[in-house]
Amino acid sequence: MKKIIGVLLAVVFVLSTLFPFIGGDSVSAATGQGFKVSSPEVVKETVYEDLAVNKNGTTRSLSAKESREIQKLAKKEYFKNQKKNTIYTKKGQSNLNNKGMAAKAKKPVNYVRVAHETVYNGTKGTITMSSRIDAMTGEKPVVIWTGAKLYRSNDQYGKYRLVDKFDTEWRGSELKVGKKTSKTYNNKTTNFYQSHHKTTVGWNKVGTRTNEGVTEEVLVNKKTVPYPEITNLDNNTSMWIPTKANIPVVPLKDRTKRKSGLAKTYKNWYIKEYGDPKWDWTQIHVHH
């Protein structure tokens, strides 16, 4: 609790400036003297879905470890073209090594990775969901169905409501690395947002497999500026993110009056708890 207070009292004013829905009393501190404020205008959340075919012909979803191993192989080795069915993991990638000889590679599994990205753009005031074929090896699938749904809530752990979605189907010449589809939502509210995604891949003679998941919750204001990350570099503690997006502003008449000598009391407590950070305490205004 002491660590939380140590950060809270020194950064709430910064939060109220960058994230104006915060209400109540506040504290200001120059970020140049011991505080790091990370408030990017654009935040990206990316998750992956990995599907493959076993040697015995059954389809399955890859574990995170298996996916990493496949990605290492795809980056380090070229896959041999087998009857023009092999899809390389990079556009324009050759199946010849630097000596002009066919590169040796392990026999590829039928594998597809789809990347789902959700971009929170505080400059444009938008949330964009996209799905992209990130990698393929082995036999080309016959179809990929994919899409995403965007949900919002004013309670991080409460009920989320669907606000936007998209679905797409790729076949034939569309089945290539880099193929992408997206949907943009124009945001006007302060809320927690998260995206749910699903991908189904179908291979000839072996059937289909579906994988789905969800991104982390992201708190944005009505301008779609994500909640800042604030760290006290002196004691290496960080400000927590509220779990409510609809915190009411406390009316002035209802606010607790400031105690006399609070700034000095806080300074003495902080130095005793963490040591003297050598701050210019005249630039730190301690409130409730």
Side-chain angles (χ1 to χ4, degrees):
M1 184 63 183
K2 289 183 178 179
K3 289 185 177 181
I4 292 175
I5 295 174
V7 179
L8 176 60
L9 289 176
V11 298
V12 177
F13 178 78
V14 178
L15 295 183
S16 62
T17 301
L18 300 176
F19 223 73
F21 67 79
I22 298 296
D25 299 299
S26 60
V27 171
S28 65
T31 58
Q33 60 168 14
F35 294 93
K36 178 182 178 182
V37 181
S38 176
S39 183
E41 291 294 315
V42 178
V43 168
K44 297 180 181 179
E45 290 283 327
T46 305
V47 293
Y48 299 95
E49 290 171 345
D50 301 281
L51 301 108
V53 179
N54 282 336
K55 292 181 179 180
N56 61 8
T58 58
T59 59
R60 64 190 175 90
S61 300
L62 269 66
S63 67
K65 181 179 180 179
E66 289 176 303
S67 177
R68 287 193 296 269
E69 291 303 316
I70 287 289
Q71 287 301 302
K72 288 179 182 179
L73 181 62
K75 290 179 180 179
K76 293 181 179 180
E77 300 184 84
Y78 297 127
F79 292 105
K80 290 184 178 180
N81 192 324
Q82 298 175 347
K83 298 180 180 180
K84 298 182 179 181
N85 284 330
T86 296
I87 310 299
Y88 297 110
T89 58
K90 301 292 182 183
K91 282 187 176 181
Q93 187 183 60
S94 170
N95 66 336
L96 300 178
N97 61 21
N98 56 11
K99 295 181 180 180
M101 303 295 291
K104 294 182 179 180
K106 296 179 181 179
K107 183 178 180 180
V109 296
N110 297 344
Y111 167 72
V112 172
R113 161 173 274 199
V114 174
H116 296 275
E117 187 174 76
T118 304
V119 180
Y120 300 87
N121 193 316
T123 302
K124 298 180 178 179
T126 59
I127 303 173
T128 299
M129 301 179 293
S130 65
S131 299
R132 181 188 73 252
I133 300 177
D134 194 61
M136 292 196 288
T137 62
E139 183 179 348
K140 184 177 178 179
V142 295
V143 64
I144 295 177
W145 295 283
T146 192
K149 296 180 179 180
L150 183 67
Y151 292 84
R152 77 181 182 195
S153 175
N154 56 29
D155 186 339
Q156 183 179 8
Y157 304 110
K159 184 177 181 180
Y160 280 73
R161 182 170 67 88
L162 177 66
V163 294
D164 207 357
K165 66 177 181 178
F166 74 88
D167 295 288
T168 192
E169 177 182 310
W170 293 318
R171 290 180 180 269
S173 60
E174 296 178 313
L175 295 166
K176 57 185 178 183
V177 172
K179 183 64 179 179
K180 180 180 179 180
T181 190
S182 64
K183 183 73 178 292
T184 297
Y185 174 74
N186 293 311
N187 178 53
K188 302 294 182 183
T189 62
T190 296
N191 271 301
F192 286 92
Y193 284 89
Q194 63 176 191
S195 59
H196 296 234
H197 46 84
K198 179 184 290 187
T199 298
T200 300
V201 179
W203 284 273
N204 189 31
K205 298 181 181 180
V206 296
T208 63
R209 174 62 64 175
T210 299
N211 201 354
E212 57 187 303
V214 60
T215 61
E216 293 289 334
E217 306 93 346
V218 175
L219 176 59
V220 300
N221 65 12
K222 62 183 180 180
K223 295 182 179 180
T224 322
V225 177
Y227 196 88
E229 295 179 3
I230 301 182
T231 304
N232 182 337
L233 300 177
D234 175 60
N235 60 16
N236 198 33
T237 57
S238 298
M239 186 74 177
W240 74 88
I241 295 177
T243 59
K244 302 286 186 181
N246 58 349
I247 301 174
V249 175
V250 179
L252 186 61
K253 64 182 181 64
D254 296 331
R255 299 179 188 179
T256 303
K257 292 183 179 181
R258 175 174 173 167
K259 294 180 179 179
S260 176
L262 178 63
K264 183 177 181 180
T265 299
Y266 173 71
K267 175 183 176 181
N268 292 338
W269 170 84
Y270 189 95
I271 292 175
K272 182 179 180 181
E273 183 73 16
Y274 300 109
D276 190 349
K278 306 299 182 182
W279 291 337
D280 179 3
W281 288 91
T282 63
Q283 299 300 311
I284 298 179
H285 306 285
V286 182
H287 290 258
H288 303 76

